[in-house]
Amino acid sequence: MTGEHTTTTGGTPEPLAPAPGGASRARVLMWCLWDTGTSAYNAVMLTFVFTVYLTSESFGSPEHTSTVLSVAMTVAGFAIAATAPIIGQRSDTPRSRAGFLTVNSVVLIACTALAFFARPEPAFLVFGVTLVALGSVAQEFATVSYNAMLPALAGPHRMGKVSGWGWGAGYVGGIFALAFVLFGFVTPGFLGIPTDDALNYRAVALFSAAWILIFCLPLILKAPSMPFREYSGAILEEPGTPPLVRTDALPVVPLRRAAAASSARTASCSTPSPDCGGSPGPPSSS
């Protein structure tokens, strides 16, 4: 059948994940668009606009606001480092992968939107910084599941190409979102959003949340049906390539039994011979 491959274990064919050729361009496009959406969080919320707003004098002295932001991001970094391997292990199953991607994407969108309520007052500093840090953790967790989709989506021979498309789509999305925010919300602010109570900066959070939602929604909805690669033995084969052999189908000889058989064979050989692993002796003179 087109788009499916099987392997044989003990004479019984076993179905494998769909071949890379079965992954449609629409699925690849949805995968790339997710990076387009989340890159706006890095560019707008974390780097150039919203964290600059949170560390402004409206929330306190620059030293104090910068310290609070640094501590929050450090804690977020430790949380990611401690738990991302567990998330990665769970992402080896299709249901968990789709679930983690969906849940963390929703958390990212929610944290971004709620940042709108961080008014320019010192009392809202911790609130705003906490939302930014939680959003960063959610994005990294979602990215683990997102990256785990690549092998089955692209196949072994197209992973570099598809990964490059996603990387490029992310950079393009981040640049366009940042440019729109800077010129539309900040300077010169062609959208005409009032600057009273820092409404133009706070509206950036709503724009970023909408941007992430629009570009991430296709993959969120299709995540459960995305191609999946079984890492516990199943092998993806490219069309036209020789069939691969599953190593889990090969006979396994316990190490102790193999060592004992080797010792017994060595002890039974008094002279070198081809059967004992040596060379034949000289011919008899008789």
Side-chain angles (χ1 to χ4, degrees):
M1 295 179 64
T2 303
E4 294 184 359
H5 295 270
T6 59
T7 55
T8 302
T9 303
T12 303
E14 296 183 5
L16 293 180
S24 66
R25 293 181 179 179
R27 286 174 172 172
V28 174
L29 178 60
M30 289 186 292
W31 187 83
C32 293
L33 288 179
W34 190 91
D35 207 345
T36 302
T38 57
S39 292
Y41 186 82
N42 292 328
V44 176
M45 298 296 292
L46 285 181
T47 308
F48 294 107
V49 180
F50 203 78
T51 51
V52 175
Y53 161 67
L54 290 176
T55 54
S56 65
E57 294 181 352
S58 300
F59 293 90
S61 65
E63 294 80 9
H64 173 67
T65 55
S66 298
T67 300
V68 173
L69 179 62
S70 298
V71 170
M73 298 308 297
T74 300
V75 173
F78 276 113
I80 294 168
T83 56
I86 302 174
I87 303 297
Q89 185 181 26
R90 294 296 300 273
S91 293
D92 287 344
T93 60
R95 181 176 299 178
S96 296
R97 178 181 305 175
F100 276 117
L101 179 77
T102 300
V103 169
N104 286 293
S105 297
V106 171
V107 172
L108 172 63
I109 295 169
C111 289
T112 305
L114 288 174
F116 170 79
F117 298 101
R119 299 178 59 187
E121 301 175 9
F124 287 91
L125 174 62
V126 174
F127 173 75
V129 166
T130 300
L131 288 175
V132 170
L134 288 177
S136 176
V137 173
Q139 185 201 19
E140 292 297 330
F141 285 172
T143 301
V144 173
S145 299
Y146 168 80
N147 290 335
M149 293 180 177
L150 179 61
L153 182 67
H157 302 290
R158 297 176 60 224
M159 274 198 292
K161 179 184 292 186
V162 175
S163 176
W165 290 343
W167 182 85
Y171 266 82
V172 170
I175 291 173
F176 270 91
L178 178 61
F180 186 82
V181 164
L182 290 178
F183 290 104
F185 292 79
V186 183
T187 303
F190 63 81
L191 294 177
I193 300 176
T195 58
D196 298 339
D197 205 22
L199 184 61
N200 58 328
Y201 278 96
R202 292 161 53 203
V204 167
L206 297 179
F207 167 80
S208 300
W211 179 282
I212 298 169
L213 176 62
I214 291 172
F215 286 100
C216 293
L217 188 60
L219 185 60
I220 291 174
L221 296 178
K222 291 293 184 179
S225 63
M226 293 293 284
F228 176 73
R229 177 177 181 177
E230 286 283 356
Y231 291 95
S232 58
I235 302 173
L236 279 173
E237 301 174 8
E238 283 283 2
T241 58
L244 301 177
V245 178
R246 289 178 55 159
T247 56
D248 60 352
L250 299 177
V252 179
V253 179
L255 182 60
R256 290 184 178 179
R257 187 190 304 174
S262 177
S263 300
R265 185 181 180 187
T266 302
S268 64
C269 296
S270 58
T271 59
S273 67
D275 295 336
C276 294
S279 59
S284 175
S285 60
S286 59

